[in-house]
Amino acid sequence: MAALSLVKVPAALAQSFQTAAPHAILLDADSGSVLFEKGADELFSPASMAKLMTTEIVFNEIRQGRLTMDSEFQITEDAWRRGGAGGGGSSMFAQLNSRIKLSDLLRGLIVQSGNDAAIAIGEGIAGSEENFGRMMTARAKVLGLTRSTFRNATGYAAPDQKVTARDLAKLALHLIEAYPDLYKIFAEREFTWNKIKQQNRNPLLTLDIGADGLKTGYLEESGYGLTGSAVQNGQRLIMVVSGLKTARDRAAESRKLMEWGFRAFEPRQIFTANETVAEASVYGGAAGSVPLVARKPVRVLLPRGSGDKITAKAVYQGPLVAPIEQGREVGRLRITRGETQALDLPLYAGEAVEAGTIPQRALDATWEVGTGLFRKAFEKAGAKS
């Protein structure tokens, strides 16, 4: 892997934040900047925050045209018994053998956190909740949730159903960006079904901080958690906390983290869109290198009044082999603020590089053989030392 140090800003004393949550992350939705993290890559049980993945499956099925909001699902005995009031968890109180439109089931799932709604959706889409769990995990991998594994639609405890705070934040951002119209359901304050009115379980919605989603969760083994999002003055923040001891702690820590994020940071642009970030070596090409660019402006949020050290690295598997198409993803840009990896973005080839002439390719081959032997000798010497 080739890495280039690009930006250095003199270090200064940075603002700090403390939270009682053992797992937490806060990110800026527009830039992707991570403002705070603590145990963000450690695995934990998601509890009802797993319903975010259930919701994503439904939203995607609607977008693909396989379901509509008028599609109906049956409340089976398993959904009614295990997911209903007798199951001991949250429920939309759906009646046994009733058929319910997806528009209502989604509100039972999102607003009321109904386990009966989740099981009915899983069975209706995949034939069984077990099959739906496999579907959730496969879809999570497609979305880049590399460390998360799902086993059921509800979030009920399962030995290997685990997520990370970083993956949940990625999932929340995807739901917001990919399904803006359907995402609005997360902001609905209440929903009535079977003559039973229930309030949205997200405590941030009742606070004056611009919150419009997403989902709470609780299991004895994982504690109280929340994946939330809020917008102030055009800026959207996404946060995840988990492992708190009480519902009151969850609400207080979530609010504190959100308010700190909106108050304590200011944006700084590092690169403009399509500006050359670095040059990558090219093997067998008409040119010996290709510029690496980001498609969008690269911005990072810094603590106000701080001069945190910023280090940016362009990382790629090199040398790149020609021909190379312009716009092809060929590397990553990783920006670190202090001890926090603030950004990890794709880099693209800024120009096309055609295959070189036979003499050029022969010269590159000779050079690669020589440098390869040098690397092996260096590694062998290092092994002896």
Side-chain angles (χ1 to χ4, degrees), residues 178-253:
Y179 314 104
D181 291 336
L182 292 169
Y183 173 72
K184 295 175 184 177
I185 299 174
F186 283 98
E188 295 182 11
R189 298 289 187 91
E190 62 183 34
F191 180 62
T192 300
W193 187 257
N194 200 17
K195 299 181 180 180
I196 301 171
K197 180 189 292 187
Q198 296 187 63
Q199 301 297 314
N200 195 311
R201 293 168 181 264
N202 183 351
L204 296 183
L205 295 180
T206 62
L207 306 177
D208 188 22
I209 61 171
D212 59 8
L214 296 157
K215 191 75 192 68
T216 60
Y218 169 74
L219 282 174
E220 185 175 354
E221 66 182 76
S222 60
Y224 290 84
L226 171 63
T227 300
S229 185
V231 180
Q232 291 186 18
N233 300 317
Q235 180 189 17
R236 177 180 290 279
L237 297 183
I238 295 170
M239 53 127 268
V240 179
V241 295
S242 183
L244 292 158
K245 294 181 179 180
T246 67
R248 178 175 294 182
D249 290 342
R250 173 176 62 192
E253 291 296 303

Side-chain angles (χ1 to χ4, degrees), residues 11 20 29 33 40 54 76 130 132 134 137 143 146 154 166 190 207 223 261 276 306-307 334 346 349-350 372-373 384:
S33 292
T54 303
T76 64
E130 182 180 1
F132 190 75
R134 286 192 285 267
T137 298
L143 298 178
T146 57
T154 59
R166 194 181 309 276
E190 62 183 34
L207 306 177
T276 297
S306 170
R334 293 172 182 161
L373 291 173
K384 291 180 179 179

Side-chain angles (χ1 to χ4, degrees), residues 282-290 321-324 352-357 360-361 364:
V282 175
Y283 171 81
S289 64
V290 63
V321 179
I324 301 169
V353 179
E354 302 296 333
T357 62
Q360 286 173 321
R361 296 201 297 271
D364 282 354

Side-chain angles (χ1 to χ4, degrees), residues 125-144:
I125 290 177
S128 70
E129 197 181 1
E130 182 180 1
N131 288 341
F132 190 75
R134 286 192 285 267
M135 187 176 180
M136 293 167 71
T137 298
R139 179 64 178 164
K141 298 299 184 264
V142 170
L143 298 178

